[in-house]
Amino acid sequence: DSLGSVADYDAVDAASDRGGVLVGSAGSWQVEIFPGDYVVHQKYGIGRFERTFVKKKKPTAAEVDRMMDERQALIEAARKQGENLRELLDRFEDPDGAGPGTVGSIGEPVPVIEISYADGTLHVPVTKAHRLGRYRSSADAGVAPKLSKMVGDTWRKQIDRVATSTRETAQEVLALYATRETLTRAPCSPAEEGRSKEFAATFVYEPTPDQHKCFQIVEQDMVWRRRPMDRLVCGDVGFGKTEVALRAIFRCVQNGRQAALLAPTGVLAAQHYRHVLERMGEGGPFGCTTGLLRGGAGSASKENRAIREKIASGETMLVVGTHALLGQGTSFHNLGLLVIDEEQRFGVKQKERLKIICGGVDVLTLSATPIPRTLQMSLSGLRDTSTIRSPPPMRRAVKTVVGKYNMATVAEAISKELARGGQCFYVVPRISMMEDAERIIEDCVPGVRVISAHGRMGRGQAEENVAEFAGGGGDVLLATTVIENGIDIPRVNTIIIANANTFGMSTLYQLRGRVGRSNVQAYAYLFVSDVDGLTESADARLTAMSSLTELGAGFDIASRDLEIRGAGSLLGVEQSGLVGKIGFDLYMRMLRRAIRQLRGLAFTAVPRTTTLLPGGEGSIEGERAFAMPHGYIEDAAEKETQESLARLAENSPAIVKLTEEWKQAYGPIPTELKRSLKNLHLHACARQLGIDCVGLARLTTSGTSKDGILRCPHVRPSHWAAVCGALPDGRPPAGLHVYFPAAFSKTGVDQHVYEARSYDSDENFSVDSLTGIDFDDDWDDLEGDEEGVDEGEVVSA
């Protein structure tokens, strides 16, 4: 019974107490399993996690030889002294013995995970837990899967059938990739990045590490790619997703294009509008013309007509609005970026309208809990995804209590919060329940001040009541899900959710996110009236909410929601039957592997190479951004287009072809432009080789000797071996040293491959993946025969 015995549940502490183990997942994160959970091993299939314990490792040949030598020496000594050899031999076989020559003296003790199968038991070292994944399937959610047999070929046949299906699905995915790559738009100019840095400096908080990564990735998408951005940014409530969006919006507006920020509710849209005005509005140093468009004012109202006219004429560069932005009467002059906040709140028809609007436009989606289909698209690579997991300083995880509704607990929770000077939220699923709920609250805590808010109040009434509550005019805000988005009141640190089983997981997570927005410990109470009558999916949702309480758990919540609800159809074909046979995680891993094999991308190109050289040498950013001499191309728009084509050329031949076109259209290439083109040639080669950074390293303390550094994060030992084999004499150029991290090494230390030396990837490296996992057991392995280096282009670069 996952709910009846819960009183005060802190999932973080409970995880360690119950013996949780981190295992792999379909995404780039790990999930925790507990005894009784079902897991999937690629080689053996579906099993049940029973326990962890310490077991002796199988001794090596050297250890056995040492033990036998010790035994021989002890036997000879006993014979000389006339001792009883039988007692000595018995002592040798004692598994718990620790003396010389005993069985217990050899074999390193290691913690292992015990997994039960239909015909046996498997022990997996905890250090190899990444080989396991939690079994997840939307088919028959909550129903225990059938355990696989370790002996026989039943599991292998299932894997083969799924592999065939994933190859077919991968071909469809790649067709969509190809279609997406054909879409182009003019990228933002790197010359405007100085202004973007000025705007970034107005952010009053210190960005978290994950925010920094998002800033850089979004900049790469908008400035260094010709394909329109389609990125999902997933992060907890209050983790800084909005700042990522604001910097993208500012970059778009600075490049002369309109931006739109779409929010699901009027409350949230108004909050964003106020924030935008403070950061970049017309009255400030950045002077961005901004408008707010809401459906509540009536689509035919004079105010809305005026706003739409300014949007259509281009007078308003940034518009914040609700679904009214998607109406047929709204047209944009030059839309460059659409930001969608809380995507999961929009319906099917609204998303179909979005598809029409977003053709050739950068799209940035923000969500704490993306819908299952969106999550599946991101895991398969159809959608770029960034995750903000690092919490703001001093933020605490919300303690979550799940259990049967109890008036005594409600009274205690409200009284404790009021006693420490705070306020409470009390949420019910239906407006018809609010009258009874208010009476219960007043009976539990006499004299308490209750303010109500729901969606059927008069226009603006709910917002006014919430504002009154935020100002301290009430102790408890009794509301429906109208407070799910856009409510930010740091004094509220207790939320009570009645009939929690009737809410979806995303809604529960958003409601819980209304509290815990300061450094005060917050509490969320999820109550159900009938524990025994819970459906399987409701039980699974509440169990997930009670276990996933750590900061930054939004992506994990969405992943568990995908498990419970299913992702439906990824590409118009239902895959739930296959997913049920092997589990969602393994299915998605196999699909990604099939995609990689079909693409054959051995070298992963990077969209941008950053140069960190003295005096800004080699840079094509900021003041040194590539620009044609004035007068070579008279038309300003055409000049900007040609500059972008040259800056983002995929390789040197593409630049050569482009310059030939320039000669025919505009005349001989000026000398100044020829010098700039040399720089572009080097950048094109570096990007194709996956070099994301070029710099100098000081070799001596005096600093008189320096060495060039090229950072190539996606190159593995097998890649380098293939490149060396294609070079003259099978050797790298003189003076080039290569360093690989310890994760690739047999010895567990960094490996250096010195100049002018032929290279064999099997000589020093037993592993060949960024996670350091052996080929035979790595679900995401990329063996040499699965991917081929395009030798001609790589050697040329």
Side-chain angles (χ1 to χ4, degrees), residues 651-773:
N651 48 46
S652 284
I655 297 177
V656 171
K657 181 180 178 182
L658 191 60
T659 54
E660 292 298 326
E661 294 174 357
W662 292 347
K663 290 177 185 178
Q664 294 179 10
Y666 311 111
I669 305 295
T671 303
E672 180 184 349
L673 181 54
K674 288 181 179 178
R675 287 196 294 266
S676 298
L677 285 172
K678 289 181 180 179
N679 206 6
L680 290 188
H681 278 286
L682 291 175
H683 272 269
C685 292
R687 290 198 301 267
Q688 188 175 1
L689 289 171
I691 298 169
D692 69 347
C693 185
V694 177
L696 289 177
R698 185 178 299 169
L699 297 183
T700 61
T701 54
S702 63
T704 56
S705 177
K706 294 183 179 179
D707 218 355
I709 298 294
L710 308 177
R711 187 175 69 180
C712 210
H714 300 294
V715 170
R716 302 191 303 274
S718 61
H719 293 153
W720 185 242
V723 171
C724 289
L727 292 170
D729 301 324
R731 297 173 181 273
L736 179 63
H737 306 286
V738 180
Y739 296 79
F740 287 106
F744 297 107
S745 169
K746 287 181 179 178
T747 60
V749 297
D750 292 349
Q751 288 293 316
H752 301 173
V753 183
Y754 292 100
E755 63 177 294
R757 175 184 162 194
S758 60
Y759 180 75
D760 180 1
S761 65
D762 294 330
E763 182 179 342
N764 298 305
F765 301 95
S766 59
V767 293
D768 198 17
S769 74
L770 292 177
T771 53
I773 302 170

Side-chain angles (χ1 to χ4, degrees), residues 454-724:
H454 59 78
R456 292 185 184 173
M457 289 181 165
R459 194 176 72 183
Q461 185 62 49
E463 287 89 340
E464 291 178 8
N465 287 3
V466 171
E468 180 185 351
F469 176 74
D475 300 316
V476 177
L477 179 64
L478 173 61
T480 58
T481 55
V482 70
I483 67 165
E484 179 182 347
N485 302 103
I487 306 298
D488 184 3
I489 309 175
R491 288 184 59 200
V492 182
N493 285 293
T494 293
I495 184 168
I496 297 169
I497 304 174
N499 293 86
N501 54 298
T502 62
F503 295 100
M505 187 175 292
S506 173
T507 299
L508 287 173
Y509 188 72
Q510 287 287 345
L511 288 171
R512 186 171 69 183
R514 296 305 103 207
V515 298
R517 302 174 70 86
S518 66
N519 59 355
V520 177
Q521 180 62 63
Y523 297 87
Y525 296 84
L526 278 59
F527 290 127
V528 296
S529 56
D530 182 12
V531 173
D532 297 329
L534 285 179
T535 63
E536 294 283 358
S537 59
D539 181 54
R541 288 197 301 271
L542 293 172
T543 300
M545 289 298 299
S546 67
S547 61
L548 297 174
T549 60
E550 68 274 11
L551 292 169
F555 213 60
D556 295 335
I557 286 281
S559 178
R560 194 74 68 87
D561 195 20
L562 187 148
E563 167 191 347
I564 296 168
R565 291 168 53 191
S569 168
L570 176 62
L571 299 169
V573 179
E574 186 66 51
Q575 299 109 356
S576 61
L578 295 172
V579 172
K581 291 182 182 299
I582 67 171
F584 174 76
D585 283 312
L586 181 53
Y587 178 85
M588 292 305 300
R589 289 169 184 253
M590 292 178 67
L591 175 59
R592 289 209 309 274
R593 180 193 289 184
I595 292 172
R596 283 198 301 261
Q597 291 173 357
L598 288 175
R599 295 180 75 178
L601 290 180
F603 259 83
T604 303
V606 296
R608 168 190 185 185
T609 299
T610 302
T611 55
L612 305 175
L613 300 174
E617 182 181 353
S619 176
I620 56 173
E621 303 179 34
E623 296 179 356
R624 291 179 171 267
F626 172 74
M628 291 182 172
H630 292 291
Y632 184 62
I633 299 179
E634 296 295 340
D635 184 84
E638 180 62 21
K639 176 175 176 287
E640 182 179 343
T641 299
Q642 295 300 321
E643 287 172 347
S644 294
L645 289 174
R647 179 169 56 85
L648 301 181
E650 295 180 356
N651 48 46
S652 284
I655 297 177
V656 171
K657 181 180 178 182
L658 191 60
T659 54
E660 292 298 326
E661 294 174 357
W662 292 347
K663 290 177 185 178
Q664 294 179 10
Y666 311 111
I669 305 295
T671 303
E672 180 184 349
L673 181 54
K674 288 181 179 178
R675 287 196 294 266
S676 298
L677 285 172
K678 289 181 180 179
N679 206 6
L680 290 188
H681 278 286
L682 291 175
H683 272 269
C685 292
R687 290 198 301 267
Q688 188 175 1
L689 289 171
I691 298 169
D692 69 347
C693 185
V694 177
L696 289 177
R698 185 178 299 169
L699 297 183
T700 61
T701 54
S702 63
T704 56
S705 177
K706 294 183 179 179
D707 218 355
I709 298 294
L710 308 177
R711 187 175 69 180
C712 210
H714 300 294
V715 170
R716 302 191 303 274
S718 61
H719 293 153
W720 185 242
V723 171
C724 289

Side-chain angles (χ1 to χ4, degrees), residues 194-214:
R195 189 72 167 155
S196 294
K197 290 180 180 178
E198 292 178 15
F199 176 75
T202 64
F203 188 45
V204 296
Y205 302 103
E206 179 65 27
T208 64
D210 285 346
Q211 273 185 299
H212 274 299
K213 292 178 184 177
C214 282

Side-chain angles (χ1 to χ4, degrees), residues 109 138 154 215 225 293 326 416 463 509 590 608 711 753 793 796:
S138 59
T154 304
F215 297 151
R225 290 187 190 274
L293 186 65
L326 306 178
K416 281 186 175 180
E463 287 89 340
Y509 188 72
M590 292 178 67
R608 168 190 185 185
R711 187 175 69 180
V753 183
E793 291 189 0
S796 172

Side-chain angles (χ1 to χ4, degrees), residues 307-477:
I307 293 173
R308 286 191 169 96
E309 288 174 2
K310 291 181 179 180
I311 295 171
S313 66
E315 182 180 346
T316 296
M317 293 299 293
L318 168 59
V319 57
V320 182
T322 60
H323 59 277
L325 279 175
L326 306 178
Q328 297 290 343
T330 305
S331 62
F332 292 88
H333 177 71
N334 182 24
L335 183 63
L337 172 67
L338 175 64
V339 178
I340 306 171
D341 197 5
E342 304 300 346
E343 177 210 32
Q344 73 277 2
R345 293 293 304 276
F346 293 96
V348 174
K349 290 184 179 179
Q350 292 163 333
K351 289 178 181 177
E352 289 301 319
R353 174 65 179 161
L354 283 173
K355 290 179 182 179
I356 298 174
I357 295 176
C358 297
V361 172
D362 287 333
V363 178
L364 185 63
T365 303
L366 314 177
S367 181
T369 53
I371 61 174
R373 187 171 185 272
T374 297
L375 178 62
Q376 191 185 25
M377 290 176 71
S378 69
L379 294 178
S380 66
L382 275 176
R383 198 165 189 185
D384 299 324
T385 305
S386 299
T387 306
I388 301 179
R389 285 178 168 268
S390 48
M394 307 299 290
R395 185 67 61 88
R396 296 186 181 186
V398 178
K399 289 193 174 182
T400 303
V401 177
V402 179
K404 188 173 182 178
Y405 190 89
N406 185 295
M407 289 184 63
T409 305
V410 171
E412 182 182 3
I414 295 176
S415 299
K416 281 186 175 180
E417 184 59 49
L418 298 183
R420 61 177 182 174
Q423 296 170 288
C424 302
F425 288 136
Y426 191 107
V427 181
V428 294
R430 290 185 292 275
I431 296 174
S432 60
M433 301 173 64
M434 295 187 70
E435 185 176 342
D436 290 338
E438 183 172 359
R439 185 173 62 254
I440 291 172
I441 294 171
E442 292 173 345
D443 289 343
C444 289
V445 186
V448 68
R449 298 174 299 165
V450 180
I451 295 179
S452 299
H454 59 78
R456 292 185 184 173
M457 289 181 165
R459 194 176 72 183
Q461 185 62 49
E463 287 89 340
E464 291 178 8
N465 287 3
V466 171
E468 180 185 351
F469 176 74
D475 300 316
V476 177
L477 179 64

